Amino acid sequence: MKKPLQLNPDRLFPADEKQRAVARRLYQQVKDLPIISPHGHTDPAWFATNEPWDNATALLITPDHYVFRMLYSQGISLEQLGIPTIDGSAVETDQRKIWHLLANNYHLFRGTPSRSWLDHVFSVVFGLEVTLCAETADYYYDSINEKLATEAFLPRALFERFNIECIATTESALDDLRHHQAIRDSGWQGKVVTAYRPDNVVDPDYEGFVDNLTAFGEITGTDVSTWEGYLEAHRKRRQFFASMGATSTDHGHPTATTSNLSVEDCQALYQKVRTGQASATEAETFRGQVLTEMAGMSIEDGLVMQIHPGSFRNHNDAVFHRFGRDKGADIPSRTEYVSALKPLLDKHGANPKLNVILFTLDETVYSRELAPLAGHYPSLKLGPPWWFHDSPEGMRRFRQQATESAGFYNTVGFNDDTRAFLSIPARHDVARRMDCVWLSELVADHRLDEDEAGELAADLAYNLVKAAYKL
Amino acid sequence: MKKPLQLNPDRLFPADEKQRAVARRLYQQVKDLPIISPHGHTDPAWFATNEPWDNATALLITPDHYVFRMLYSQGISLEQLGIPTIDGSAVETDQRKIWHLLANNYHLFRGTPSRSWLDHVFSVVFGLEVTLCAETADYYYDSINEKLATEAFLPRALFERFNIECIATTESALDDLRHHQAIRDSGWQGKVVTAYRPDNVVDPDYEGFVDNLTAFGEITGTDVSTWEGYLEAHRKRRQFFASMGATSTDHGHPTATTSNLSVEDCQALYQKVRTGQASATEAETFRGQVLTEMAGMSIEDGLVMQIHPGSFRNHNDAVFHRFGRDKGADIPSRTEYVSALKPLLDKHGANPKLNVILFTLDETVYSRELAPLAGHYPSLKLGPPWWFHDSPEGMRRFRQQATESAGFYNTVGFNDDTRAFLSIPARHDVARRMDCVWLSELVADHRLDEDEAGELAADLAYNLVKAAYKL
Amino acid sequence: MKKPLQLNPDRLFPADEKQRAVARRLYQQVKDLPIISPHGHTDPAWFATNEPWDNATALLITPDHYVFRMLYSQGISLEQLGIPTIDGSAVETDQRKIWHLLANNYHLFRGTPSRSWLDHVFSVVFGLEVTLCAETADYYYDSINEKLATEAFLPRALFERFNIECIATTESALDDLRHHQAIRDSGWQGKVVTAYRPDNVVDPDYEGFVDNLTAFGEITGTDVSTWEGYLEAHRKRRQFFASMGATSTDHGHPTATTSNLSVEDCQALYQKVRTGQASATEAETFRGQVLTEMAGMSIEDGLVMQIHPGSFRNHNDAVFHRFGRDKGADIPSRTEYVSALKPLLDKHGANPKLNVILFTLDETVYSRELAPLAGHYPSLKLGPPWWFHDSPEGMRRFRQQATESAGFYNTVGFNDDTRAFLSIPARHDVARRMDCVWLSELVADHRLDEDEAGELAADLAYNLVKAAYKL
């Protein structure tokens, strides 16, 4: 039996009629504001080449680790899902057959954000009017593929249709930014900027780190055999990224550790690190020292600094060795900020010219650490709920736990942080709705007046992110 | 003044009328489903002998550490409550007098799950129509005792009245399972199975561990002086438990630590452990290694593996020395899973034949660790809220925090985990109600359709537990 | 445009009409009960001298680190806010200009408890009828100053108008309590008592600790060169504080660590500590040992013991060096209680004569550690949500997470813990409202009858605090 697919206009709004009416009014004021996506992982090649996407499976399943991790968790192998192996050994190549796996198991996503994002994509982006299930799998597969081949579904057309004012991608320090250059050269007006993500030349545990340093020296024309040269290479590279539109850097360390060593100690540590001789503790100290250096450079060049700590990467050994990184096996870890950030803050924390945006995968720190820190330091702001917590309940907990100590104005609006380009409107829509829900609660119990809530709704949807990221 | 005791048919349902109507409809679909109780601590002797229970106090107070811990916390001594001492020194023996202590202090339980379970027992099981208080204490005591002496209140009669399809008890590796054998021999059709709980031959810190190993060798007819023999004894014992209906094992370690040592290291460690020479660290490593071995055996013999870590047992020294174990003095501790489980998962985690059900007393791990792990690994599922968190608010937090990353289908329905047999219908009823409340919220804000919610309600109440525990 | 300032009589109450009606009825029963403020930091000099406060800025901004930390977090310097420097270097002295900074940035407080406290003070205490904004800043400044100069706004008059039955201040072990003596000598009937806070002679890391010990010996006329003498000095000082009305002690340690050393070890440790030679670990052990000694003394003299651990004090180095302590830079830290308190509990925990009230800045321990501990030990009770968590959402979380394991009767009502005297009615009003909201939820979903909820509302607002603090 085919079931109609209809997104309820009141979705996510509270049950109580009067509060729902407030949420609805607030949402009306912000739902059509342009999207600013200041941090994410879309592929700039899409916008550079503007080539059509291949098919529904290659667009919506294979690259989306949210989607295939759930299927994998229920015993469907990554081979069956067509995830490519490192050694090139065979996996399923019948894209339609893989699509059926999603369709047949779509009930697994009940109650998850993936379900709501996919339904939004199906309904709003592709105009499908029945729900996905075994019976509609082929209809879906064919309809989506057919649309993807049309002009209206090319990357730039969707970018415009999505009302994206600006999107930031994330590139490694060694990226030549050719796609960003191509976008600029093309004359297309879509604003796609990069962000400086130097993990592969900062983290001594990164695959190929020592070689990466060599490449870092070459790409910057700098002698990186000294600590001073290494810092100079960062400065040059940051400048180059900024020239390609970057307004931010991004740092994905295992912990939030920062360090504040003397120059002599930095020099000595760097010599160990660059020759691959650093111990685990020294590697941690080095990552932490570079964060402090990055903060100093941010004060100089104005790039906003994003810290994304606390993911235990590639936790599933078998999957990592057979399929590689980013296969849905990253697991959050307990993360401490108060002591960890102190060295950086001792040096730069009182400087209002510094702009650090803190993220976490450990929700316990919202009320205990991050909101109190952001509610005090002029240099610190709170990023939105991240990754596993970019969901209705995650957003609700964030506002409930962070607002009272940090206020709204030490937060920075929403980040979609996604590779799944088509889900961007869905994700921003969820964020806008959930912020309006939270505001409607504050209005309903008289903690805010509705006119203030209206101002805040626009701030949270648009103004804060624009200001915080200087976009 | 006597106050009527009436369980409201809408208890625990949300205030909003429309959402309440959804919850009510969903609950109607599941309230009469049979109870599957896959993990608990009822005494198999009850069902083997089918003898009447003694009196209200001995049935409802003395064995229920939830009940007497609250009274103790307010200054009533365990002696006054008739809890037997280790050295046999005198305690209160007047059962009626002890019952009065509960009645006179029944207000202490306001807002606690014990209150709702007891009221359910009083009202539904015993048909009492006034609330418990000083004035009704004798009436309660006499009425309950009178009923307990009747056929209708014998253990097997209640088992049938409670509509229990299957109940699992928990026995130590050294138990001869005579009561389970007696149940089978009796011809009674009630399904009572055991579960393999080998802590007393796995945990070097367990009282009498070295002697327990000797007994383990004898009961299995195996030479346990070697690591290989020790593992063989487990294999045999698991087989025997399985032959008595067990479909699961259970492991109550202080932490979730697992290990993955070489065979040589296992052999050397075992020699230290079995002679009582292991250090605290070695004991921890040994417990962790045995968990990994148990996982391997689960893949072979199909028993589902339950891990219940994180209880600081017998925290109150004075109580432990005078009254012994399980006296309401077990306190949850911060518990880490992501690093702790990695050795086990490195060896067996990608194997869909392994079924591990994870429990926690540390709610912070729901969204940070357990839901992401269960939402990825095919071998991991999430057990329901446990012990202190087996309560309306605990259940609400579990669904709010686990659903978005784990989905519903990586959870396993409800466990009552209780010694309090009479409270089993009450506990399952609370779980079914709270799941319907959560589902009604997802329906009310349009995250789920009501037909899907109906399917899920039945899955959470019955289908998932049956499948997960192979019952 | 001037906007009317009106506190809605239903503020903080739930949206659902029927539940709101319950909350309203419960609140009516408790809103006018006298205020007992058993723990706080108001200045006893106010009540001793009864002199008028200076002006709006000096009363409401300069001493309130909740207020100026938010302004500082948004880039307004402490100099601009007139916070005095340690070295006396110049800061803003134009009090009206500072007031304008608050008025111009009042939107920053949206959603924070400071906003609701300030609005309550403006509306209820000062009778202002328009909201604070740039346009009304002068009107506010002048109106408030004018009122402060009148009889009705003198400290004692406000104390009486606020219906305060008793307030406790907090004084160091070295305080001569002259203001408390002056209050007693004055014949004024307001009940202002002290509390014994010995951190400056207990914490070896406290500024001037060694000198403080000397002063401690002098003020008590005791030879504190020995461990025994040191303990004797505490005993005498506690007795003196008790004679000035104290019914409690208070301990603000970095962690909840307690120790239980032999007398010999105590003697040896004390000799290191008193000569300033203790290592960080020894200092921690010493603080922990003194907590255990304080518990023993509490059993003797009946003073209630408050433990307030887990604040990382003076986190912002630049602010600490320029402006000193208590400048809004204290940040909560992860805090462990189960192992930390065990040494103290091993010695005294089973003694119902001991009364320890536990506080936390780490909300994760409510359900995991504190509620289970308080729901078992006769000597332990849970303090209310503290500091950053003294807020509507913080209070909601506390009740949701603590009630089911601890019950209501192992909690102790509300503490305002404030220096901001004028905000005391606002804070107690928020607590009473939020408790009524929680109770109304339990009534609405039939976990409590409304008559029980009414009893509880009065217990939470008045009876429990009076009993727990023996006031």
Side-chain angles (χ1 to χ4, degrees), chain A residues 238-299:
Chain A
R238 293 169 63 105
Q239 195 169 20
F240 173 62
F241 271 63
S243 78
M244 300 301 282
T247 67
S248 67
T249 70
D250 184 31
H251 308 277
H253 292 195
T255 73
T257 296
T258 63
S259 316
N260 190 9
L261 306 179
S262 69
V263 173
E264 295 69 32
D265 287 346
C266 289
Q267 291 165 336
L269 178 59
Y270 182 66
Q271 291 312 321
K272 281 197 161 176
V273 159
R274 79 174 190 91
T275 52
Q277 296 174 67
S279 68
T281 308
E282 288 165 338
E284 177 75 352
T285 304
F286 184 75
R287 287 188 293 262
Q289 182 63 37
V290 179
L291 279 188
T292 304
E293 301 296 338
M294 291 288 123
M297 291 184 201
S298 279
I299 292 170

Side-chain angles (χ1 to χ4, degrees), chain C residues 331-361:
Chain C
I331 308 289
S333 297
R334 205 150 66 195
T335 308
E336 201 277 341
Y337 293 79
V338 179
S339 296
L341 293 176
K342 196 161 190 319
L344 186 156
L345 294 170
D346 281 348
K347 186 144 190 201
H348 299 299
N351 190 335
K353 284 190 188 160
L354 177 62
N355 294 288
V356 177
I357 300 175
L358 297 171
F359 293 80
T360 193
L361 294 173

Side-chain angles (χ1 to χ4, degrees), chain B residues 242-277:
Chain B
S243 77
M244 299 301 283
T247 66
S248 67
T249 70
D250 183 32
H251 307 276
H253 292 195
T255 73
T257 295
T258 63
S259 315
N260 190 7
L261 306 180
S262 69
V263 173
E264 294 70 32
D265 287 347
C266 289
Q267 291 165 336
L269 179 58
Y270 181 65
Q271 291 310 322
K272 280 199 163 174
V273 159
R274 80 175 188 90
T275 51
Q277 296 174 67

Side-chain angles (χ1 to χ4, degrees), chain A residues 3 12 17 74 315 363 391, chain B residues 18 338 367 404 409 449:
Chain A
K3 227 178 78 174
L12 296 176
E17 283 298 339
Q74 289 276 318
H315 191 272
E363 294 179 300
S391 62
Chain B
K18 275 188 303 185
V338 179
S367 75
E404 294 177 319
Y409 293 95
D449 296 330

